[in-house]
Amino acid sequence: DAKTTQPNSMESNEEEPVHLPCNHSTISGTDYIHWYRQLPSQGPEYVIHGLTSNVNNRMASLAIAEDRKSSTLILHRATLRDAAVYYCIQRPTGTASKLTFGTGTRLQVTL
Amino acid sequence: DTEVTQTPKHLVMGMTNKKSLKCEQHMGHRAMYWYKQKAKKPPELMFVYSYEKLSINESVPSRFSPECPNSSLLNLHLHALQPEDSALYLCASSQGVGGLDGYTFGSGTRLTVV
């Protein structure tokens, strides 16, 4: 299964931007980059995904390197409710593609 | 309706019991999934259903038996489980299985095997 590398943990102050990095050096041309987060005692929540171009939605922005071997999830203004484990996932396309979670980054947000 | 609903939220069962976990979605999603998550670990994929047919079984022991009665429902039948099977069981769905869209996860069933 495709493997991504993320820092184990990161800290941020509330209302500051957060940049969560992810390396996916084995990515192939048709693999999508997905980000999910999991708040305590909840199921994972979809955040954003992309292929090549940078993507924005109401939750976050995804910046994808030109060679696609890394990406960064950007939370523009962190709040206490953003404290969660963030998972970066390299997902193949195809009829039997799987969403395989790595160990993720635990984000702590402090006042 | 944009949710995946899982019942029950908590379940305690003995090693000789038979129980079932239920998952329901009404978003018209055609792919549904079961994941298992142990404490402080990432979710692990167990099964993938595509258009109500089992398409991926991640070498899950036969004491876990999935069933997809229709496009909105996914069950996980449990029989003769072991204490190490205690975990959070998550159900998810997606519009398709092609990697082009996000998954919607339920809040899970927390299972304890005694």
Side-chain angles (χ1 to χ4, degrees):
Chain A
D1 285 336
K3 180 114 171 108
T4 59
T5 305
Q6 298 177 254
N8 287 335
S9 63
M10 290 184 65
E11 262 189 53
S12 172
N13 294 322
E14 201 178 20
E15 306 212 350
E16 305 235 331
V18 182
H19 290 234
L20 297 162
C22 179
N23 286 322
H24 27 79
S25 56
T26 62
I27 197 165
S28 74
T30 56
D31 291 353
Y32 276 75
I33 300 150
H34 284 241
W35 283 82
Y36 285 76
R37 71 180 186 180
Q38 189 170 20
L39 279 65
S41 302
Q42 293 188 28
E45 175 187 26
Y46 167 78
V47 177
I48 201 166
H49 76 286
L51 183 63
T52 55
S53 307
N54 294 345
V55 185
N56 300 297
N57 66 21
R58 64 175 179 79
M59 288 181 73
S61 296
L62 176 59
I64 302 172
E66 205 166 319
D67 64 4
R68 300 206 332 120
K69 293 186 187 303
S70 65
S71 62
T72 302
L73 179 72
I74 303 163
L75 308 179
H76 295 287
R77 285 181 68 205
T79 70
L80 295 177
R81 287 176 293 182
D82 291 321
V85 179
Y86 286 78
Y87 295 101
C88 166
I89 301 167
Q90 182 180 321
R91 187 182 181 197
T93 54
T95 54
S97 73
K98 303 187 287 190
L99 198 70
T100 303
F101 287 79
T103 51
T105 296
R106 182 171 298 277
L107 176 66
Q108 290 182 289
V109 181
T110 53
L111 291 169
Chain B
D1 187 355
T2 59
E3 287 187 345
V4 170
T5 303
Q6 290 189 244
T7 54
K9 297 223 177 296
H10 301 273
L11 178 63
V12 179
M13 62 184 289
M15 289 189 282
T16 58
N17 290 161
K18 285 186 182 179
K19 295 285 184 185
S20 296
L21 309 185
K22 183 178 167 183
C23 172
E24 200 164 358
Q25 57 89 13
H26 297 286
M27 295 176 281
H29 288 177
R30 303 316 302 263
M32 296 185 77
Y33 313 83
W34 280 115
Y35 281 81
K36 172 183 176 178
Q37 186 173 26
K38 302 282 276 184
K40 300 200 184 301
K41 297 288 187 185
E44 295 176 3
L45 182 66
M46 299 175 72
F47 302 104
V48 178
Y49 271 83
S50 171
Y51 293 89
E52 300 159 49
K53 299 236 181 307
L54 182 65
S55 62
I56 295 177
N57 176 342
E58 291 286 88
S59 302
V60 178
S62 59
R63 58 185 184 268
F64 296 92
S65 174
E67 179 198 20
C68 190
N70 59 58
S71 59
S72 300
L73 272 178
L74 187 66
N75 297 321
L76 186 63
H77 302 297
L78 313 172
H79 174 53
L81 294 194
Q82 303 296 310
E84 58 264 30
D85 296 321
S86 299
L88 181 67
Y89 288 85
L90 293 159
C91 175
S93 69
S94 65
Q95 181 68 36
V97 287
L100 301 181
D101 62 324
Y103 286 26
T104 302
F105 281 83
S107 298
T109 294
R110 190 160 297 282
L111 174 69
T112 304
V113 181
V114 297

